């Protein structure tokens, strides 16, 4: 169907999406082409801006992320023009996009940065919540204030952060795996962290270096009106910091973990009553105290594949994301990755002419460095947005460009259970087969250091706590230094590794 509406001509650089990937891409294009107008089309009234960017080492970076009204970006870069509208169609043959009001915008080069949306276990069930943007996080907080028990499904970043932050509410955490946090850790690290969940009182915050999600100074009118089903930007580092994640009761953690199971069926209250099935009470801990009685009637019940059934006030589906490609697929023959993302080559170029993609929407399909992998993270969204702009500029100027250094080594700094966590390279021996060794150093309650070695070379590392090892290990992985002669000394805390290798 032809979209009626005004057509803007001229062929600009056009970026779709006001998250970190899109904003970084638009900013970089605006810097490179100061006399050209850059068009940024985004569905949400606020944009995500990187502030206080700091390159901590060769690849590790720290920054804050701020939600800002779009005018702030336009003021900073007068050649960026922002249109607040959801793109509903891409006509790649005509080189134009169609926005919500039917307007068409012709591009010479286009970068798609529309992120991803939560992949929920059960779409459309009002008792199943996903967390993606400011609105969905606030909705979750609102529901939590009335809750006595919730169920969390999933074992990735969101689940890990939630189980630690939630207080005053029983949490049943159902995971497919044997140990917690499988996207980030192995079982050893999981065990190191699990002790924190049984601590009665949340301890004081330790100082940590981590990218921070901030809404400081955010005015009410800048808040997104987009919900889960619509198109707000993904939250990011420390997204829960401003939220009071407290249920109805006065206690810190009350978590029961059900391992190696998935959701079999979800029953609403009446359905459950009719089914005549029996639900389990919350398993009692060492104090033998339970907050809820065995006879509670719950709004929703979850039957797990291990046959256990628990009632709860609502369910959080923290089960990963799906790239937000939907508006662009109709009539366009994009090559898609297995995860549904737009495949991009080493120049962030999709399979369609002059169409680039960056951030959560894309699937990196180049031959990666042996110690890099894609993960849908804040840092990679920034790096990809920046590099996509460089590639778009190089292509339009007929110049060549080398792959950005940030793709040489996977590096992620975050915080779980109040510990600083640094992940480097093939930190979980991803794709290394059985031909690798692990070295460990662990001091309970303080630090957990794991390195992944292959043929005497360091391929990856997990650093939990204030280990101060990240820069040295980053260099060892990047340089592929032969470490065979050092053996276990590599992790000896009495040896200053920097003296050895710097
Ligand atoms: C709860 C939560 C916690 C997280 N914590 C961390 C963390 O601690 N560390 C970390 O590194 N990463 C974290 N992430 C992941 C990180 O937030 C994302 O990887 C990153 O924000 C992706 O950026 P993006 O620019 O690709 O997409 P998004 O930030 O999702 O931005 C997409 C943009 O596209 C716009 N859009 C969507 N559809 C359309 C359309 N049709 N037309 C126009 N515009 C459209 C949206 O409005 C939005 O502005 C977290 C994610 C979540 C959900
Ligand atoms: N600190 C950090 O770095 C954080 C990063 N994030 C990022 O935000 C995005 C969204 O986070 P998550 O939803 O936690 O995704 P995720 O990809 O980190 O984890 C998804 C989890 O859900 C599980 N899962 C998938 N389908 C399931 C099913 N049907 N039943 C049961 N379990 C299932 C997977 O095994 C995996 O454990 C991710 O890209 C994540 O990396 C989120 C929070 C914190």
């Amino acid at each position: 169907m032809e979209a009626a509406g005004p057509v803007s001509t001229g062929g600009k650089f056009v970026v779709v999406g006001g998250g970190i990937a899109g904003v970084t891409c638009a900013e970089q294009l605006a810097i490179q082409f100061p006399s050209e107008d850059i068009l940024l089309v985004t569905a949400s009234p606020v944009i995500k801006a990187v502030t206080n960017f700091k390159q901590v080492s060769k690849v590790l970076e720290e920054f804050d992320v701020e939600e800002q009204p779009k005018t702030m970006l336009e003021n900073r870069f007068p050649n960026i023009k922002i249109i607040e509208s959801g793109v509903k169609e891409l006509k790649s043959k005509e080189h134009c996009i169609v926005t919500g009001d039917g307007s068409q915008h012709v591009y010479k080069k286009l970068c798609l940065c529309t992120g991803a949306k939560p992949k929920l276990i059960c779409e459309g069930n009002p008792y199943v919540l996903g967390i993606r943007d400011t609105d969905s996080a606030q909705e979750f907080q609102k529901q939590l204030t009335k809750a006595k028990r919730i169920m969390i499904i999933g074992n990735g970043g969101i689940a890990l952060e939630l189980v630690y932050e939630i207080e005053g509410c029983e949490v049943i955490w159902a995971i497919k795996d044997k140990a917690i946090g499988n996207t980030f850790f192995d079982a050893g690290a999981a065990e190191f962290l699990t002790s924190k969940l049984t601590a009665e009182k949340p301890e004081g915050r330790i100082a940590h270096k981590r990218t921070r999600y901030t809404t400081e100074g955010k005015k009410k009118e800048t808040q997104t009106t987009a919900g889960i089903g619509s198109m707000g930007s993904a939250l990011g580092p420390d997204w829960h910091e401003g939220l009071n994640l407290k249920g109805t009761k006065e206690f810190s953690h009350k978590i029961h973990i059900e391992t190696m199971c998935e959701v079999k069926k979800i029953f609403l209250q009446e359905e459950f009553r009719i089914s005549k099935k029996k639900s389990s009470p919350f398993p009692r801990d060492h104090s033998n105290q339970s907050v809820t009685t065995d006879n509670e009637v719950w709004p929703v019940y979850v039957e797990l594949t291990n046959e256990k059934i628990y009632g709860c006030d609502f369910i959080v589906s923290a089960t990963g994301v799906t790239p937000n490609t939907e508006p662009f697929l109709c009539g366009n023959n994009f090559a898609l990755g297995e995860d549904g993302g737009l495949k991009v080559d080493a120049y962030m170029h999709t399979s369609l002419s002059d169409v680039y993609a960056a951030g959560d929407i894309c699937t990196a399909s180049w031959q990666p460095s042996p110690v890099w992998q894609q993960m849908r993270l804040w840092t990679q969204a920034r790096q990809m947005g920046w590099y996509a702009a460089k590639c778009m500029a190089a292509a339009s100027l007929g110049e060549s460009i080398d792959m950005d250094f940030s793709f040489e080594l996977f590096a992620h700094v975050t915080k779980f259970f109040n510990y600083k966590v640094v992940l480097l390279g093939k930190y979980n021996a991803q794709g290394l087969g059985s031909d690798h060794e692990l070295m460990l150093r662990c001091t309970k309650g303080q630090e957990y250091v794991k390195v992944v070695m292959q043929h005497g070379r360091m391929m990856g590392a997990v650093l939990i706590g204030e280990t101060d090892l990240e820069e040295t290990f980053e260099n060892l992985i990047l340089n592929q230094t032969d470490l065979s002669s050092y053996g276990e000394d590599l992790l000896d805390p009495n040896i200053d590794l920097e003296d050895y290798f710097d």
Side-chain angles (χ1 to χ4, degrees):
M1 200 182 68
E2 269 302 293
V7 179
S8 80
T9 52
K12 296 182 169 69
F13 286 111
V14 176
V15 180
V16 183
I20 283 302
V23 170
T24 310
C25 180
E27 286 177 347
Q28 194 52 39
L29 286 168
I31 292 167
Q32 294 220 194
F33 299 95
S35 55
E36 284 195 39
D37 277 348
I38 314 296
L39 182 64
L40 176 65
V41 184
T42 182
S44 50
V46 285
I47 56 102
K48 290 270 161 83
V50 169
T51 58
N52 304 326
F53 178 80
K54 203 164 96 208
Q55 193 73 46
V56 182
S57 59
K58 286 197 184 81
V59 279
L60 279 169
E61 51 189 50
E62 281 177 12
F63 51 85
D64 294 342
V65 175
E66 269 180 32
E67 275 192 347
Q68 295 177 349
K70 61 183 193 303
T71 46
M72 272 178 85
L73 181 63
E74 287 173 326
N75 292 343
R76 266 202 318 276
F77 295 93
N79 59 331
I80 295 184
K81 183 168 181 267
I82 303 180
I83 295 179
E84 187 191 325
S85 182
V87 172
K88 60 174 192 190
E89 195 185 349
L90 163 64
K91 296 179 174 180
S92 60
K93 287 197 190 76
E94 289 102 313
H95 269 54
C96 81
I97 52 165
V98 184
T99 49
D101 62 355
S103 302
Q104 301 193 17
H105 302 272
V106 177
Y107 60 83
K108 61 177 170 189
K109 302 228 176 280
L110 170 71
C111 191
L112 299 176
C113 307
T114 49
K117 52 183 176 223
K119 196 169 57 186
L120 298 186
I121 45 163
C122 180
E123 291 284 350
N125 184 321
Y127 295 100
V128 178
L129 304 187
I131 297 174
R132 178 72 186 171
D133 51 19
T134 317
D135 276 8
S136 53
Q138 280 167 357
E139 178 58 25
F140 163 69
Q141 179 191 17
K142 197 171 117 205
Q143 299 285 341
L144 186 66
T145 55
K146 297 179 274 178
K148 285 194 283 191
R149 184 193 296 169
I150 67 166
M151 183 127 180
I152 299 179
I153 313 292
N155 196 11
I158 293 181
L160 268 177
E161 297 205 337
L162 280 183
V163 290
Y164 185 70
E165 296 295 332
I166 290 172
E167 293 174 20
C169 177
E170 291 177 349
V171 176
I172 309 265
W173 184 13
I175 60 176
K176 287 203 282 192
D177 321 283
K178 276 192 199 148
I180 65 165
N182 77 320
T183 30
F184 294 97
F185 310 118
D186 57 4
E191 197 183 317
F192 173 81
L193 291 173
T194 308
S195 59
K196 283 277 185 131
L197 290 179
T198 48
E200 270 309 304
K201 288 266 176 290
E203 64 265 72
R205 301 280 179 220
I206 53 165
H208 62 89
K209 301 179 205 138
R210 185 204 181 196
T211 43
R212 185 161 59 93
Y213 169 74
T214 166
T215 50
E216 265 164 40
K218 191 178 70 167
K219 294 191 185 72
K220 203 163 185 345
E221 65 271 19
T222 66
Q223 288 184 3
T224 170
T225 50
I228 265 280
S230 50
M231 297 178 282
S233 296
L235 294 166
D238 291 356
W239 57 277
H240 41 70
E241 207 121 276
L243 298 174
N244 173 19
L245 296 185
K246 213 164 173 317
T248 50
K249 304 285 177 186
E250 281 306 321
F251 55 82
S252 56
H253 299 124
K254 253 207 190 335
I255 296 158
H256 171 71
I257 306 173
E258 287 287 345
T259 57
M260 299 177 78
C261 64
E262 287 182 53
V263 172
K264 190 166 160 190
K265 191 167 164 49
I266 298 174
F267 298 87
L268 297 182
Q269 194 179 83
E270 184 57 12
E271 274 179 301
F272 187 69
R273 194 184 61 76
I274 295 166
S275 77
K276 301 253 180 317
K277 290 185 183 247
K278 285 272 166 288
S279 66
S280 306
F282 191 89
R284 289 173 199 275
D285 58 17
H286 54 273
S287 67
N288 210 25
Q289 284 173 348
S290 179
V291 184
T292 49
T293 67
D294 295 357
N295 307 320
E296 303 268 349
V297 178
W298 298 96
V300 63
Y301 291 81
V302 183
E303 182 173 11
L304 299 170
T305 46
N306 62 11
E307 306 307 328
K308 290 192 186 153
I309 303 178
Y310 291 102
C312 59
D313 288 295
F314 65 91
I315 303 151
V316 180
S317 178
T319 39
V321 294
T322 312
N324 207 357
T325 54
E326 201 270 322
F328 313 112
L329 297 184
C330 182
N332 299 304
N333 194 17
F334 275 111
L336 298 178
E338 272 175 32
D339 56 10
L342 304 181
K343 276 190 175 185
V344 289
D345 64 13
Y347 303 101
M348 305 308 293
H349 195 264
T350 68
S351 55
L352 297 189
S353 172
D354 293 322
V355 183
Y356 295 72
D360 279 8
I361 190 181
C362 77
T363 303
S365 300
W366 62 84
Q367 184 59 43
S369 130
V371 284
W372 185 85
Q373 63 271 327
Q374 182 182 12
M375 274 181 83
R376 291 192 162 83
L377 295 168
W378 203 262
T379 30
Q380 291 197 357
R382 196 203 66 78
Q383 290 158 353
M384 287 179 172
W386 187 89
Y387 177 57
K390 287 282 188 194
C391 292
M392 291 161 81
S396 70
L397 298 170
E399 293 169 356
S400 65
I401 182 166
D402 289 330
M403 174 135 265
D404 187 64
F405 190 74
S406 55
F407 301 105
E408 284 297 309
L409 172 65
F410 174 86
H412 184 47
V413 192
T414 184
K415 190 181 70 164
F416 288 119
F417 295 14
N418 213 21
Y419 286 110
K420 175 177 171 180
V421 175
V422 179
L423 305 172
L424 294 172
K426 299 284 175 183
Y427 61 89
N428 250 350
Q430 300 95 322
L432 298 185
S434 52
D435 179 25
H436 66 270
E437 290 175 278
L438 302 180
M439 275 191 222
L440 288 179
R441 178 173 106 195
C442 177
T443 311
K444 209 167 171 245
Q446 209 178 324
E447 60 160 27
Y448 176 92
V449 177
K450 177 186 87 173
V451 294
V452 180
M453 304 291 295
Q454 193 173 42
H455 311 308
R457 264 95 182 156
M458 194 182 288
M459 298 302 286
V462 176
L463 308 174
I464 306 180
E466 293 297 326
T467 66
D468 244 356
L469 289 170
E470 52 269 34
E471 213 170 330
T472 310
F473 282 11
E474 176 189 76
N475 283 327
L476 294 178
I477 300 172
L478 275 170
N479 300 337
Q480 286 293 285
T481 315
D482 185 353
L483 303 166
S484 3
S485 56
Y486 297 98
E488 298 280 312
D489 280 358
L490 202 58
L491 294 188
D492 185 337
N494 300 315
I495 291 175
D496 193 348
L497 282 177
E498 284 177 29
D499 292 347
Y500 269 70
F501 300 111
D502 281 353

